[in-house]
Amino acid sequence: MRFHRLILLVVSAGLLSSALVCVTKAQEQEPVAPKPRVFVDFVAANNIVVSPGHSAPVQFTFHVQDPYHINSSQPLTEELIPTQLHFSLPPEVAFGKLQYPAGKLMSFPFDPSTKLSVYSGDFAIKGIVLAPGQASSGIYTIHGELKYQACDNNACYPPKKLPFTFNVRVGSGGKSVPKARPTRTSPHIHN
Amino acid sequence: MNRTVVIVLCVVVGITALLLLGKKASKPKASADPAKQNVSGSQEPSGADPAIGSLAPEFSLKSVPDGKTVTLSSLRGKAVVVNFWATWCGPCKIEMPWLVDLQKKYGDQGLQIVGITKDDSNEDTIAKFTKKMGVNYTILVGDQKVQDLYGGVGGLPTSFFVNRSGKVVHEIIGLDSESKFEDAIKQALL
């Protein structure tokens, strides 16, 4: 009889524990606050190594999440907001003119008769990074920001900024400076 | 034996209470109100949207191009469509001619469409754009405060249909059909 009572107690304790776990999990699932919507992710930048007085190619890859699209860097109408990449640069690093990919010409259910120039899925922005001859060797963390405006098939969303960082190593390994020069030599923000 | 029965009863009652508590806690909080249509398919919670049946939040905004201050309360007695839009919003451009037609059709019955822009563009740009689109209804320059009052207005276009008593009777997020828009207007005019 005592043995049965012991088993009953152990089983009851187990059931109570399970029920408590269920309650805790259910409470954990309660939404606390809406997470901000993410339309575009920064995927990667290539390994950037540039010698002082030289240049190196750079490529930034982004991913537009399904089912969204964003305007290309050259949307077809003036009201639309173009995608733009900006950097905050230290004096040791400069950028040449960025090469944005051509947008895909697509029409959407909200206006099947009109084509828009957009990016969807993965897209890459290329450029040249330069280090002045007097740049000190070292690894520099650069802050970039992608400005974009996203839509889906039925709605558009306010312009957003996607901040990201990447490293530029100033040291051996860079290529010769091409004829192209940075369009702007400001040490801070570069279009 | 009696002690065992008491223990078993206590455990059963305890487990039942805990399970009921858990079920209550896991219930989704978002309402499945049929008067709230989210055409955009967005999964993002819309925050504190004005609830269907509640009074539409008051606003006081400047109109374009005449610069007059317009308040929602000044439109009491009319059915009002509070339509959030922007010049950079393609679906909003598709909706605008519908709104023009509906304002013409139901204006005499007491409909007032109010387009609140979520643009950073200057007022001249907005005025030129609305002129180009042949807009015949009131255009107001929105601000963050009014957007917050209307649930943040994540996606555009977003429209709230307000009846003559100032209560929200319908909401459409994203571009829907002109007929659904008209149905919601009729509901607001009742």
Side-chain angles (χ1 to χ4, degrees), chain B residues 95-127:
Chain B
E95 199 179 61
M96 279 180 147
W98 304 349
L99 303 187
V100 169
D101 288 347
L102 292 164
Q103 180 63 56
K104 265 187 212 159
K105 190 171 176 182
Y106 293 101
D108 290 346
Q109 295 177 41
L111 172 69
Q112 181 58 60
I113 298 175
V114 175
I116 299 181
T117 178
K118 201 176 155 127
D119 252 283
D120 288 333
S121 311
N122 62 41
E123 289 174 22
D124 282 350
T125 306
I126 294 164

Side-chain angles (χ1 to χ4, degrees), chain A residues 1-59:
Chain A
M1 192 64 181
R2 275 192 179 177
F3 180 68
H4 281 155
R5 195 176 287 171
L6 187 67
I7 287 178
L8 195 66
L9 276 172
V10 169
V11 170
S12 305
L15 284 170
L16 266 172
S17 309
S18 307
L20 265 173
V21 168
C22 285
V23 170
T24 312
K25 281 200 171 177
Q27 282 171 344
E28 277 170 3
Q29 282 168 2
E30 269 193 284
V32 179
K35 281 186 181 175
R37 197 195 309 260
V38 176
F39 304 99
V40 182
D41 295 311
F42 172 59
V43 178
N46 59 319
N47 185 29
I48 308 165
V49 183
V50 59
S51 301
H54 291 74
S55 73
V58 59
Q59 176 169 309

Side-chain angles (χ1 to χ4, degrees), chain A residues 1 5 8-9 12 15-16 19 23 26-27 30 34-35 37 79-81 110-111 149 152 154-159, chain B residues 1 4 8 11 15 18 22 25 29 39-40 42 44-45 87-88 90-91 93-94 118 129 132 154-156 174-175:
Chain A
M1 192 64 181
R5 195 176 287 171
L8 195 66
L9 276 172
S12 305
L15 284 170
L16 266 172
V23 170
Q27 282 171 344
E30 269 193 284
K35 281 186 181 175
R37 197 195 309 260
E79 293 97 10
L80 299 179
I81 296 170
F110 58 78
D111 188 7
Q149 189 266 306
D152 58 28
N154 293 93
C156 288
Y157 304 89
Chain B
M1 188 64 184
T4 310
V8 169
V11 168
I15 289 172
L18 283 170
K29 292 205 165 179
V39 188
S40 73
S42 155
E44 188 174 318
T87 55
W88 41 258
K93 280 172 77 175
I94 301 302
K118 201 176 155 127
F129 182 85
K132 191 173 83 180
L156 296 178
L175 185 72

